[in-house]
Amino acid sequence: MPDTRAFAAERPRLVRLAYRMTSSLAEAEDVVQDAWFRWAGTAPGTVVDPAAWLTRTVTRLCLDHLKSARVRRETYVGAWLPEPLLGTVDPEPVTDDLTLTLMLAIERLSPLERAAFLLHDVFDVALPEVAATLDRAPAAVRQLAARARRHVAAARPRYTVDRGDAERIAAAFFAASRDGDSKALAGLLAADVTIHADGGGRVLAFRNVIRGADRVRRLYAGLARKHGDTPPELLATRWIDGLPGYVSRERGDVVQTTALELREGRIAAVYVVRNPDKLAHVLALHAAAATRG
């Protein structure tokens, strides 16, 4: 069996790569586990560069996965959002700067564009190795990465947000949305704010994107009036894929994550994940934190 220490050293990076490719931590871990089985099946000494071999293997497994994922997306109920990643992923934090907003931009790329961009621009893989991984000429890979780079650049924020300010806005939004406080919401929301909610057909969620500050204020005011006896419970404030947000227990005992995209001090978009299939690791982290007291 090949050196298990070499695989263990690469595993955190492989999980990050697979997560960025698949937008799912659970699927990323499955892909890396599959790569482990392939690694374990190689004869000792036959792999000259373990990092390159494993990167190539994980990327190709992700490309295979995306073929079937695209078919599933076509029948997905309501809005689709990436599986939320809370700040860090065991065993080490995500160190790139791809926020949830940028991940949604990457989702609109072709699988090959996505792989070329992530490998070359995010994970610093040399162009010849990217070309070998994708079985394309270097010139073709350069074009793939350039197209992807332009698309992602258009979605990249053109401003910075102070971390403390962002966290205060997230806390204020939770309180205002919980209470249906229209005045407080008016001070937090951009005029063209949108709400995207992913329930996957498993739990109740908005099927369509909610657009505009007036509609959003009326929505939360109506929910507070209707369900005032069972208000949402804040479980934890968290950064979710690079955006400020929180984990809450909502009416009907539904756990959800809420991530906020900020623009010039206002909330430009609200991303809510309620699909329990995407929240297993969130629930596990919350349970572990509760156990520690």
Side-chain angles (χ1 to χ4, degrees):
M1 177 180 291
D3 187 358
T4 58
R5 291 172 299 179
F7 182 89
E10 293 298 323
R11 188 182 184 282
R13 184 179 61 84
L14 298 174
V15 171
R16 293 199 301 274
L17 171 60
Y19 172 72
R20 294 311 191 193
M21 283 288 292
T22 65
S23 297
S24 167
L25 184 57
E27 291 171 359
E29 291 172 339
D30 287 343
V31 165
V32 173
Q33 183 67 17
D34 194 355
W36 158 251
F37 288 129
R38 298 184 184 215
W39 169 258
T42 62
T46 58
V47 177
V48 177
D49 186 341
W53 189 95
L54 288 166
T55 298
R56 187 178 302 183
T57 300
V58 165
T59 301
R60 290 175 174 175
L61 287 171
C62 287
L63 289 171
D64 290 341
H65 167 82
L66 289 174
K67 295 176 184 177
S68 60
R70 178 159 295 183
V71 174
R72 294 198 303 273
R73 298 272 176 83
E74 292 174 354
T75 60
Y76 197 82
V77 178
W80 180 93
L81 293 172
E83 183 177 329
L85 187 64
L86 303 187
T88 60
V89 53
D90 186 25
E92 69 177 47
V94 172
T95 55
D96 58 61
D97 64 348
L98 291 182
T99 65
L100 189 152
T101 310
L102 296 180
M103 287 183 66
L104 289 173
I106 289 173
E107 281 293 320
R108 294 189 285 272
L109 302 175
S110 72
L112 286 177
E113 288 173 338
R114 185 187 312 191
F117 172 75
L118 287 171
L119 289 173
H120 186 259
D121 286 41
V122 178
F123 289 87
D124 296 322
V125 177
L127 185 65
E129 177 58 27
V130 178
T133 298
L134 302 183
D135 195 22
R136 296 290 190 279
V141 171
R142 189 178 293 108
Q143 291 181 347
L144 287 170
R147 286 199 300 269
R149 197 177 299 121
R150 288 193 296 269
H151 191 85
V152 173
R156 192 178 294 277
R158 293 172 174 81
Y159 47 84
T160 58
V161 180
D162 177 80
R163 187 178 184 91
D165 290 342
E167 291 173 351
R168 283 191 290 274
I169 290 172
F173 177 76
F174 170 77
S177 60
R178 177 197 61 201
D179 300 338
D181 187 337
S182 294
K183 183 177 180 180
L185 286 169
L188 294 169
L189 302 174
D192 58 349
V193 64
T194 56
I195 300 180
H196 311 252
D198 181 340
R202 297 288 310 280
V203 297
L204 186 65
F206 311 131
R207 289 288 187 95
N208 301 310
V209 177
I210 309 298
R211 301 181 185 277
D214 288 341
R215 291 190 64 191
V216 172
R217 290 199 304 270
R218 291 197 300 269
L219 170 70
Y220 283 116
L223 290 173
R225 286 194 302 269
K226 185 176 181 180
H227 304 287
D229 56 334
T230 56
E233 174 192 359
L234 182 65
L235 300 180
T237 55
R238 294 281 188 151
W239 282 76
I240 301 170
D241 278 306
L243 299 183
Y246 51 85
V247 183
S248 59
R249 191 183 308 279
E250 300 290 312
R251 305 162 182 93
D253 203 34
V254 175
V255 171
Q256 70 178 42
T257 61
T258 301
L260 305 176
E261 179 185 348
L262 304 182
R263 184 179 66 228
E264 298 178 345
R266 296 268 181 156
I267 298 170
V270 181
Y271 300 102
V272 177
V273 175
R274 296 168 61 85
N275 184 347
D277 293 339
K278 297 184 177 184
L279 296 174
H281 71 284
V282 174
L283 294 172
L285 286 171
H286 177 65
T291 300
R292 291 194 298 269

